[in-house]
Amino acid sequence: MRRYSEAVKADVRRRMSPPHRQSVAQISAELGIHIVTLYNWRKTWRLQGEVVPASEKDPDG
C-alpha cells in the first residue's frame, strides 16, 4: 500500500472543500490516487469533524 505525505492529503482536502469542491473522480484522475483511497480519506476527515462536502452525484454523500 502506498503512503501519501501530509502535504498531498492537505492538497486533496483543499480540492474537496469549498470553493473548489472538485469531485473525488476528478481528483483521482488528476493526481493518480485510487478513488477508494480518496473516499476513505474524506470519511476520516468527516469523522474528525472537518467539513468536506460531497459532490451532488456522490453516492457516499
Side-chain angles (χ1 to χ4, degrees):
M1 175 186 281
R2 180 163 179 199
R3 297 278 179 186
Y4 293 94
S5 71
E6 290 304 315
V8 170
K9 291 180 180 182
D11 180 50
V12 169
R13 190 179 315 130
R14 180 186 59 79
R15 289 171 182 248
M16 286 182 181
S17 300
H20 307 287
R21 293 195 63 160
Q22 288 182 318
S23 71
V24 171
Q26 183 179 0
I27 296 168
S28 177
E30 288 178 9
L31 300 181
I33 300 173
H34 197 279
I35 198 164
V36 173
T37 299
L38 296 175
Y39 279 121
N40 287 337
W41 290 354
R42 188 178 69 186
K43 182 179 179 181
T44 299
W45 295 328
R46 285 179 175 170
L47 291 173
Q48 293 171 348
E50 296 185 42
V51 178
V52 184
S55 69
E56 291 183 17
K57 296 180 182 179
D58 216 339
D60 187 43

